[in-house]
């Protein structure tokens, strides 16, 4: 059998060839059939290649001749000698590599990169055609009973293969040097001539905003694939970063007018379905249950539990077939990457200034990469682009302002350096002004959300009185998406200690969040709940949250929602409110005790949900006294759940509170008296954020 070729077209590094030799025991018929199939696929490549046209056509022509030769051998049913078998094995390997090379040349999103690798690509063609000629030289053509004309064609392939006729096209060589001159301009801090750059883009087929965006996405993928490599790979990453910076500049400046005002719809709809997460957060949640170390490559097993990849792999290699945490038998040994949690952990480290030097995963390299531009030319290109967008936001037409807001939204989505450049260029104030425009509001608030993840962005929003503008969107946004993004932005602003008080004292803030919890979409409810939790980290906001009727609204969410993550996050807020006497009174008045009991017994799949319930029960008993303890002691099923949490809880705080409650309930049942509670050894776990 032919060894299967692994062709992950979306993840394979471009201009690489994971080709494999045929198996040694392959049959003659199978090898010949596979060769004919490969040759036919090569000849079917009718794409109009942007670069390397002559070399590609020459290679396809030669393989086409060999296809006739192979088909005649098949039709004549010739028996292979050892030399023929060896030749065909080498042809099989060369055909695979040519097919990979043609696939790369045909990629519409890689034309600029292939142009800059022209010498390498031409060398690959020379080497492959040369290897075909070398393999064919050992063929005993004179003794093979095939058409004489076909023999002559094969001999021509051998002759031309020795000549090494594959060369770089002179026009491509010239344009490649022009690209280098553009990079040099940026490297010296000089903005290149608009028309000069436009001609380069035309040559490589980049004629619209979408074409340019495709090239950017391709370069980002290639950087990701190379970011954890050695010194040579890092040099390649630097050059890729330079091209990425130039193309980002081109997308935002040269193709600014061609950007469709609805270009954001695809990105918006996608993120509406797969909402980005950020935890707000207890670092204990990021530790692997096996190693107790920070997870750098979290993966999820069939039971839904998450572990660090290296730890669970060691567990499985030791012969274990159960989930370490739950004890359940694993239905499969498949490890599913938990990308959302990985991103949360890396962002958590960045936000708190934790060194990323120990992060060994690809994702860690990605985050570290976005802190720095990758090259001087990329940095300069981004600064020029940021100033251009700031001018369009401030002085452009309404349509231009909307386009600029979308471009800022895109640039700041996952790149920390870009955020800093845009903030420094002064985009915050004009974005805040755009919140009053129904046509641009969604792109503007989404851009502000991304920029609010940057310390300078938070500061600029507050200093420009942006809190009131964002709260106006929260209350009267033109769409449900705008409202939920506004709630997420409030959450990020509340991560700064001094801003929690400021936001809480703004009359519209807490009522607006509670109304979104009451009547918003699922994503809107989730963002509002998390923002409310962030505000509760300032103790003075607790009374405001209670006065505005948050408890019955949150209890209704817990009782009626089928979204377990939303329920768990709502329980976290209720547990926080229960820490005060006033909160306990409000919770007891609104049936909070049975809700906590039921949640403790029913929450299974969401980590932390049970512990929020235990934390709430702990506070209710401590602040509510004998009346609450008596009611809790009357629930016979409670003790079993507490014993389970005391031994299997995911955090020391949850286990400690469960043990405290067990002691209190046992003493009350025996003596009718209350024991002293131990102090909690940590805050309740924070919920997670969903955003657009």
């Amino acid at each position: 059998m032919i060894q299967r070729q692994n062709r992950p077209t979306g993840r394979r590094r471009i201009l690489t060839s994971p080709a494999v030799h045929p198996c040694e025991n392959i049959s003659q018929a199978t090898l010949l059939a596979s060769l004919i199939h490969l040759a036919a696929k090569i000849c079917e490549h009718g794409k109009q290649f942007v670069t390397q046209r002559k070399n590609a056509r020459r290679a396809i022509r030669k393989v086409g001749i060999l296809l006739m030769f192979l088909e005649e051998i098949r039709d004549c049913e010739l028996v292979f000698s050892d030399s023929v078998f060896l030749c065909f094995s080498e042809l099989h390997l060369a055909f695979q590599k040519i097919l990979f090379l043609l696939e790369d040349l045909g990629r519409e999103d890689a034309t600029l990169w292939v142009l800059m690798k022209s010498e390498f690509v031409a060398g690959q063609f020379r080497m492959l055609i040369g290897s075909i000629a070398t393999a064919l030289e050992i063929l005993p053509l004179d003794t093979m009973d095939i058409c004489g004309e076909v023999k002559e064609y094969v001999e021509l392939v051998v002759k031309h293969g020795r000549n090494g006729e594959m060369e770089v096209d002179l026009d491509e060589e010239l344009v490649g040097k022009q690209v280098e001159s553009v990079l040099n301009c940026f490297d010296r801090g000089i903005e290149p001539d608009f028309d000069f750059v436009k001609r380069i883009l035309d040559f490589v087929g980049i004629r619209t905003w979408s074409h340019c965006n495709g090239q950017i996405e391709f370069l980002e993928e290639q950087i990701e694939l190379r970011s954890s490599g050695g010194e040579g790979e890092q040099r390649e990453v630097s050059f890729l970063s330079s091209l990425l910076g130039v193309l980002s500049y081109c997308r935002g400046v040269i193709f600014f007018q061609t950007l469709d005002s609805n270009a954001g719809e695809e990105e918006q709809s996608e993120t509406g379905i797969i909402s980005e997460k950020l935890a707000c957060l207890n670092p204990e949640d990021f530790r692997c249950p096996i190693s107790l170390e920070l997870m750098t490559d979290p993966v999820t097993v069939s039971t839904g539990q998450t572990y660090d990849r290296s730890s669970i792999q060691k567990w499985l290699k030791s012969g274990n077939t159960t989930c370490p945490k739950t004890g359940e038998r694993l239905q499969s040994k498949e490890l599913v990457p938990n990308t959302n949690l990985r991103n949360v952990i890396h962002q958590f480290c960045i936000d708190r200034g934790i060194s990323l030097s120990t992060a060994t995963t690809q994702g860690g390299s990605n985050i570290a990469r976005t802190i720095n531009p990758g090259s001087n030319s990329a940095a300069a290109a981004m600064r020029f682009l940021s100033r251009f967008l700031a001018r369009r936001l401030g002085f452009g037409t309404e349509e231009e302002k909307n386009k600029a807001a979308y471009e800022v939204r895109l640039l700041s989505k996952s790149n920390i350096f870009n955020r800093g450049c845009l903030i420094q260029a002064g985009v915050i104030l004009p974005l805040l002004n755009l919140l009053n425009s129904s046509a641009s509001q969604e792109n503007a608030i989404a851009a502000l959300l991304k920029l609010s993840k940057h310390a300078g962005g938070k500061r600029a929003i507050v200093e420009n009185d942006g809190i009131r503008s964002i709260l106006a969107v929260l209350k009267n946004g033109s769409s449900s998406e705008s409202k939920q993004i506004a709630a997420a932005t409030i959450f990020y602003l509340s991560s700064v200690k001094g801003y929690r008080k400021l936001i809480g004292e703004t009359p519209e803030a807490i009522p607006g969040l509670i109304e979104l919890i009451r009547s918003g979409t699922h994503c809107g409810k989730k963002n509002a709940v998390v923002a409310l939790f962030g505000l509760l980290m300032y103790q003075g906001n607790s009374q405001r949250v209670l006065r505005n009727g948050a408890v019955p609204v949150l209890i209704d969410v817990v009782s009626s929602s089928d979204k377990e993550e939303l329920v768990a996050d709502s329980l976290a807020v209720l547990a926080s409110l229960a820490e005060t006497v006033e909160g306990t009174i409000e919770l007891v008045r609104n049936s909070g005790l049975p809700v906590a009991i039921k949640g403790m017994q029913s929450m299974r799949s969401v980590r932390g949900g049970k512990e929020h319930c235990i934390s709430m029960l702990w506070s209710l008993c401590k602040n509510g006294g004998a009346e609450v303890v008596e009611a809790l002691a009357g629930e016979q099923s409670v003790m079993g759940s507490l014993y389970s949490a005391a031994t299997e809880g995911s955090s020391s705080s949850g286990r400690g509170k469960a043990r405290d409650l067990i002691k209190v309930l046992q003493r009350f049942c025996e003596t009718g008296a209350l024991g002293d509670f131990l102090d909690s050894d940590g805050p309740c776990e924070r919920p997670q954020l969903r955003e657009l």
Side-chain angles (χ1 to χ4, degrees), residues 309-348:
R309 184 185 294 275
S310 60
S311 298
I312 191 65
Q313 284 178 338
K314 289 178 183 177
W315 170 268
L316 296 173
K317 286 179 181 178
S318 299
N320 298 296
T321 59
T322 58
C323 174
K325 190 171 179 183
T326 66
E328 297 176 49
R329 181 169 294 278
L330 295 172
Q331 298 300 313
S332 74
K333 292 186 178 181
E334 182 182 7
L335 305 178
V336 180
N338 193 330
T339 306
N340 286 337
L341 179 58
R342 185 189 66 189
N343 292 339
V344 166
I345 292 172
H346 295 149
Q347 187 64 50
F348 177 87

Side-chain angles (χ1 to χ4, degrees), residues 571-593:
L571 287 168
V573 177
L574 290 171
S576 180
L577 291 170
E579 293 174 0
T580 66
V581 174
E582 295 82 358
T584 291
I585 294 171
E586 192 67 16
L587 276 162
V588 172
R589 183 182 297 153
N590 287 277
S591 304
L593 185 62

